[in-house]
């Protein structure tokens, strides 16, 4: 499936990722139709068409699918059954979604692709938690298997934690317990894979989280060129196994242990917050490359042009917009969300630094 | 008037300039309401609100004005009376529109601001044309006073031209005859002026026209730094006289005559085709700076980052989109117009070259 300018891409999900995808599509002469349950979805404001509908409304989804040439998503928690039932081509294909929706399945899949992952155990009860801590040691991280993002559904357990209270705190839902990785840095590989199987990867930033939410991505990042290339190869292998079309991100722990310098933490079958720097720091943004891939078009160059720091504007951070406008190095991105509340991603700022000396690159 | 994120800007005109302005606004968290007579206006696809209405429909314009915080325009041929009748603040203010709509008034105004302009005479009849040619010499350029753009309403007259036929060819409308300037290059100053009177100017490209339509803008351009700064000062003077808020462009002939190295050719009270390179070559694009100005916000840096060539995709040029996607240095912009026809601007490509050596700049 190769689209032509003027064709329409369907996007499931109407948040900031869908919004930035729709803007990238518009620049390339492609229209978007956004499907999302919330009538105040930020992506609606920049797309030619939108539908307010629930992700399990089969009739509304069918009408949406009939109106577009190809469908993609900005949100990995769209029900797999809804996506599988669509009559229109979905890129990336539903198996990527299924894998990413279950932390246990995801870890097994990544390990099977040859990626190092944290030791972990499935836990379905307080008793399982006690057994898993005995096996993996403490501290350890308890995470719900499904519907987690931005640190939601996670808890750090110590040897003193009451397993029953911990299990209740995450909603007594199916979960996994992971060993605590003593990482020296966090990074991520954002890779795009085209319908013709070619891949391109962006430079891997140093990612800084607080309270489970990404705060900053800093380029250049923490990896030496050999390790960075190895990370990109592993993500390309994952993408190939899924016959993936679009942008795929894997977050890594960088470990001091030379036996496993990189440990895969999470996979996101979509454009990723740690790739937002690409809008102002790379020749082609992650959003444009996702749209190019979904359209069946060739990918654009991912060359990084400048040193750059992406900073998320979370909750009341967005009140600083006027200060960022005064900074000549700051590129402000606001998502058009109405009220801010704690933890809500309202926008981001890319602080553009020195040009990359291309003559010095390998 | 200072807008806040979430506020709505009204834009009169729904073409590619309005489209790119709306995308710049969205990135900054501002909504747009586009008002245009054509239901297939390209800007509608990327704006939160739109109204299909005639530029002289007072009721529709009043409803539009009531829905927005401030109004701007992408098109200088909006009737001045319509704009003057609006109850909402218009930026740039209507006098800029009035001046730009009449070539004779524009030349008088620019000359009064101290800008060199071509010698010219008003002509309202075939007899006037003969008199003007006798005075200015031949060849000379006949231009309608109103509603001209992209070379429309213009004709090159020689000593052999029949004045009556020439006058009929431009519709026997009020016109001016201009001396032919033996220019060595064409350039333009694209300047933004904020509500606090501060101005920023972009580097001046070498502009290449064919058949009256801009084909390419090439940076670095033809001016030495002193002349380029003088040009920007002249445009700042024009903007100050109009108490202008927004982006203002003046096109210049570069002359070999040392007595008048720059001759002002045309003024555009809006973002300008010769500024499209700024989307991929400057820290802040002309579209973002126009929106910042209209919003009452501070302007962004205009620093040029790379050598760059903007090429318009006119008519069937747009069929080359797939070839441009294969070029890693090409940044493709398509306007979402349906069918192409000769002379229609369908998109543009920015060819990104070498980084500007900022240490070498004055």
């Amino acid at each position: 499936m190769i689209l032509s300018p003027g064709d329409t891409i369907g996007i499931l999900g109407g948040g900031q990722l869908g919004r930035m995808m729709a803007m990238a599509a518009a620049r390339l002469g492609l229209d978007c139709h956004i499907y999302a349950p919330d009538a105040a979805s930020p992506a609606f404001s920049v797309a030619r068409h939108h539908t307010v509908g629930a992700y399990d409304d089969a009739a509304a989804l069918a009408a949406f699918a009939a109106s577009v040439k190809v469908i993609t998503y900005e949100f990995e928690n769209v029900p797999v059954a809804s996506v599988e039932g669509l009559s229109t081509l979905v890129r990336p294909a539903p198996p990527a979604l299924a894998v990413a929706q279950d932390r246990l399945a995801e870890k097994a899949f990544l390990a099977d692709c040859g990626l190092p992952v944290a030791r972990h155990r499935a836990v379905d009860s307080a008793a399982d938690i006690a057994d898993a801590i005995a096996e993996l040691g403490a501290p350890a991280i308890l995470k719900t298997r499904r519907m987690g993002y931005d640190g939601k559904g996670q808890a750090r357990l110590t040897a003193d934690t009451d397993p029953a209270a911990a299990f209740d705190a995450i909603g007594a839902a199916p979960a996994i317990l992971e060993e605590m990785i003593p990482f020296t840095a966090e990074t991520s590989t954002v890779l795009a894979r085209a319908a013709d199987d070619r891949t391109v990867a962006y430079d891997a930033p140093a990612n800084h989280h607080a309270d489970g939410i990404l705060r900053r991505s800093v380029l250049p990042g923490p990896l030496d060129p050999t390790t960075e290339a190895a990370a990109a190869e592993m993500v390309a292998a994952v993408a190939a196994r899924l016959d993936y079309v679009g942008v795929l991100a894997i977050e890594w722990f960088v470990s001091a242990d030379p036996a496993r310098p990189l440990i895969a933490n999470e996979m996101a079958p979509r454009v990723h917050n740690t790739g937002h720097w690409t809008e102002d720091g790379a020749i082609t943004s992650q959003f444009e490359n996702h749209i190019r891939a979904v359209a069946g078009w060739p990918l654009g160059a991912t060359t990084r042009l400048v040193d750059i720091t992406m900073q998320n504007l979370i909750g009341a951070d967005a009140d600083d917009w006027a200060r960022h406008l005064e900074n000549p190095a700051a590129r402000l991105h606001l998502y058009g969300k109405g009220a801010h509340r704690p933890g809500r991603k309202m926008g981001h700022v890319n602080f553009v630094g020195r040009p990359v000396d291309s003559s010095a690159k390998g």
Side-chain angles (χ1 to χ4, degrees), chain A residues 111-284:
Chain A
D112 196 47
C113 291
L115 277 63
V117 298
R119 291 184 304 136
H120 59 279
R121 292 294 173 269
V123 294
D124 294 312
S125 67
D128 285 351
I129 292 178
D131 292 349
I133 287 189
E135 195 175 337
L136 299 172
I141 309 291
L142 183 66
K143 298 178 178 178
T144 53
R145 283 177 60 173
R146 303 185 68 86
M147 302 297 279
Y149 67 97
D150 283 352
K152 293 185 170 66
Q154 300 195 17
R156 182 173 180 277
L157 307 194
T158 68
D160 299 330
T161 309
D162 172 29
F167 193 58
D168 284 350
I170 62 158
I176 68 172
L177 193 77
E178 296 183 20
E179 67 169 325
M180 188 91 165
I181 303 287
F183 61 82
T184 58
E186 292 182 271
T187 188
S188 51
T189 300
V190 174
L191 174 139
R193 188 168 184 272
D196 69 1
D197 304 351
R198 289 187 212 195
T199 61
V200 292
Y202 290 95
D203 285 4
N207 299 325
H208 301 272
H209 293 80
D211 303 325
I213 304 179
L214 181 71
R215 303 290 155 155
R216 282 180 299 129
S217 290
V218 181
L219 283 292
L223 302 182
D224 63 81
T226 306
T227 307
E228 186 158 350
E233 269 183 43
M234 287 191 278
V235 180
V238 169
R241 181 82 80 85
L242 292 165
D243 199 13
Y244 196 95
V245 176
V247 165
L248 173 68
I250 287 187
E251 292 183 88
W252 306 95
F253 294 124
V254 183
S255 152
D257 178 356
R260 46 174 197 172
L262 289 174
I263 294 159
N265 180 27
E266 279 192 27
M267 161 181 151
R270 53 167 168 79
V271 292
H272 197 253
N273 197 168
T274 65
H276 289 4
W277 67 269
T278 63
E279 288 179 294
D280 297 302
I283 289 193
T284 313

Side-chain angles (χ1 to χ4, degrees), chain A residues 20 29 67 73 96 103 125 149 160 175 217 233 255 281 317 337 343 353 356 362:
Chain A
M20 291 185 274
S67 75
Y73 42 87
R103 289 183 193 279
S125 67
Y149 67 97
D160 299 330
S217 290
E233 269 183 43
S255 152
D317 293 349
K337 298 180 178 178
V356 173

Side-chain angles (χ1 to χ4, degrees), chain A residues 57-80:
Chain A
D57 181 338
L61 284 167
F64 164 70
S67 75
V68 301
K69 279 274 170 77
V70 60
I71 292 172
T72 188
Y73 42 87
E74 59 126 41
F75 176 59
E76 66 265 42
N77 290 324
V78 176
V80 174

Side-chain angles (χ1 to χ4, degrees), chain A residues 192 199-202 283-285 288-289 292-293 297-303:
Chain A
T199 61
V200 292
Y202 290 95
I283 289 193
T284 313
S285 77
E288 176 170 337
N289 264 334
R292 285 182 180 229
W297 292 359
L299 302 174
T302 55
T303 317

